[in-house]
Amino acid sequence: MIHQVIDKIYEIELPIPFPLKSMNVYFIDDSPRTLVDAGIKTEASFETLKKGLETIGVGLNSIERILITHGHLDHCGQAKRLSSLSGAPIYIHSKEYERLNSLDHSLSIMKSILLRNGAPETMVNETINYIECAKIMADSLDEAFFLDDGDSILFKSMSWKTIHCPGHAPGMICFYWPEEKILFTGDHLLKEITPNPVLNVNENKPPFRYPSLKQYLTSLEKIEKFDISLLLPAHGEEIHDAKDLIEKIFAHHKDRMDRVLFSLSKGEKTPFEISMDLFPGMLPFEVFLGISEAVGHLEILKDKGMIKVMEKQGKDYYSLV
Ligand SMILES: [Zn+2]
Ligand SMILES: [Zn+2]
């Protein structure tokens, strides 16, 4: 499915085999012909993109540049395949490039992070297996150019700015087109879903993960200062009221902080136990996202001095102060 958003900009909805069901890539029909995000690496995704572009008379081999908002497989999975076909260079934030190319090492660190946060070993193994299996839907990247905050994206008739918005992913970048007040948000801002502050491995220092939710909320404050009239997200419908959406997300996290505090009012808990309170009936593959939510909120509450953490038998237990 393809539709024209405004002159020169087309949205193409591609299927993904996850509960979200689809993601949006954007094709910019200017010089160079540019794709924002690439889709997951499945035949269904590839064929849908090919057919979508054909309806506006464009072949996959005429793509001249691929911009990747972040390294999740639904966004960059088939970037390498498209680049090999067309010769289009790939642009991505260096943190996402590094993450994509060190997934195997990261998974073993992730396993210890999940265990430390109280997840039962069987569930951790299932989660790691699930991520392992999903890897066939994404190629790692060989050659890529790096984009960082403030970098310009030049076209023949327009110029965008890159905005680094870490949180959902450490190297998430959004693209801002000031003349039209349009922001390509990737997964940073979505209409119906609050983006998950995904646990991301940071190999440099303990606790070997990024403070995802803290970074996410700081990135939201950053975006709030921009003059935006249209948000083009990578999942779901376009959004017209950026300020209203951002306020709703802040309120959502405040509410979730209260729920975490309520959960702890009954006694000390691991992040896994808190995630079970937040999301009763979580399926095994959702455990990773559930713990990510719990850890993100616990980290902020701990910074505020409202809770404390103690290690017992290799697991972190949080309690009210
Ligand atoms: Zn994502
Ligand atoms: Zn996504």
Side-chain angles (χ1 to χ4, degrees):
M1 239 217 301
I2 182 164
H3 93 268
Q4 187 163 15
V5 180
I6 59 166
D7 185 33
K8 293 190 171 70
I9 297 188
Y10 296 85
E11 180 210 271
I12 308 161
E13 191 181 358
L14 304 181
I16 51 174
F18 302 126
L20 272 176
K21 290 198 170 65
S22 70
M23 64 87 57
N24 310 318
V25 299
Y26 294 91
F27 175 70
I28 319 304
D29 198 8
D30 198 349
S31 181
R33 286 173 151 173
T34 298
L35 202 58
V36 177
D37 280 332
I40 203 162
K41 195 184 125 199
T42 62
E43 276 316 295
S45 168
F46 184 80
E47 287 302 321
T48 308
L49 177 62
K50 188 164 166 252
K51 287 202 185 89
L53 287 177
E54 271 168 10
T55 61
I56 56 165
V58 175
L60 287 178
N61 57 359
S62 53
I63 296 169
E64 293 170 305
R65 176 167 61 185
I66 300 168
L67 307 176
I68 301 293
T69 59
H70 64 302
H72 289 163
L73 71 178
D74 46 336
H75 299 258
C76 77
Q78 64 183 353
K80 190 172 170 183
R81 184 175 181 187
L82 296 175
S83 173
S84 311
L85 249 171
S86 60
I90 297 169
Y91 291 77
I92 189 168
H93 194 278
S94 60
K95 283 208 159 77
E96 296 303 290
Y97 179 87
E98 287 157 17
R99 227 161 47 79
L100 275 167
N101 289 343
S102 63
L103 270 183
D104 289 333
H105 183 53
S106 297
L107 274 183
S108 68
I109 300 176
M110 183 55 73
K111 189 172 174 175
S112 62
I113 291 176
L114 291 174
L115 289 170
R116 172 106 187 193
N117 283 293
E121 188 147 13
T122 47
M123 272 190 176
V124 173
N125 288 337
E126 262 182 78
T127 302
I128 299 292
N129 281 345
Y130 182 79
I131 300 173
E132 286 277 358
C133 292
K135 276 192 332 198
I136 56 162
M137 290 183 280
D139 285 324
S140 57
L141 300 177
D142 301 328
E143 263 184 45
F145 296 91
F146 297 149
L147 286 174
D148 207 346
D149 198 52
D151 284 347
S152 296
I153 312 283
L154 299 175
F155 294 86
K156 189 173 170 212
S157 65
M158 57 182 147
S159 168
W160 299 355
K161 276 274 176 266
T162 305
I163 311 172
H164 183 209
C165 293
H168 172 72
M172 164 76 73
I173 44 178
C174 299
F175 302 110
Y176 182 57
W177 181 9
E179 282 73 28
E180 295 291 333
K181 298 176 187 167
I182 288 178
L183 185 78
F184 294 83
T185 71
D187 283 357
H188 185 54
L189 285 161
L190 305 172
K191 191 170 187 177
E192 307 290 348
I193 321 136
T194 312
N196 186 279
V198 179
L199 276 175
N200 281 296
V201 169
N202 174 9
E203 296 184 19
N204 298 325
K205 58 178 192 299
F208 301 110
R209 55 176 172 75
Y210 287 95
S212 301
L213 185 58
K214 269 201 276 186
Q215 288 188 327
Y216 179 75
L217 296 176
T218 305
S219 297
L220 269 192
E221 285 168 7
K222 186 173 178 179
I223 290 296
E224 208 174 16
K225 297 192 179 85
F226 283 80
D227 186 8
I228 300 168
S229 57
L230 179 63
L231 297 170
L232 297 178
H235 301 277
E237 293 169 25
E238 57 192 50
I239 302 149
H240 294 275
D241 194 340
K243 289 235 180 310
D244 180 60
L245 177 68
I246 291 171
E247 287 315 312
K248 278 186 184 142
I249 297 174
F250 279 128
H252 163 89
H253 286 295
K254 194 179 167 303
D255 177 59
R256 193 151 277 174
M257 299 284 178
D258 290 342
R259 288 178 60 202
V260 169
L261 288 172
F262 179 71
S263 166
L264 288 174
S265 69
K266 296 172 196 159
E268 63 173 17
K269 283 180 183 168
T270 65
F272 171 70
E273 288 167 332
I274 292 163
S275 71
M276 296 294 273
D277 281 352
L278 292 175
F279 312 105
M282 248 185 336
L283 298 169
F285 74 91
E286 294 166 329
V287 167
F288 172 68
L289 297 176
I291 291 183
S292 295
E293 283 282 345
V295 168
H297 291 88
L298 288 165
E299 195 159 41
I300 291 174
L301 291 168
K302 189 168 152 285
D303 279 1
K304 287 183 176 171
M306 297 170 82
I307 61 172
K308 60 183 190 301
V309 61
M310 232 198 330
E311 193 211 324
K312 283 186 215 169
Q313 287 148 4
K315 290 182 183 178
D316 283 340
Y317 284 84
Y318 289 80
S319 57
L320 298 178
V321 290

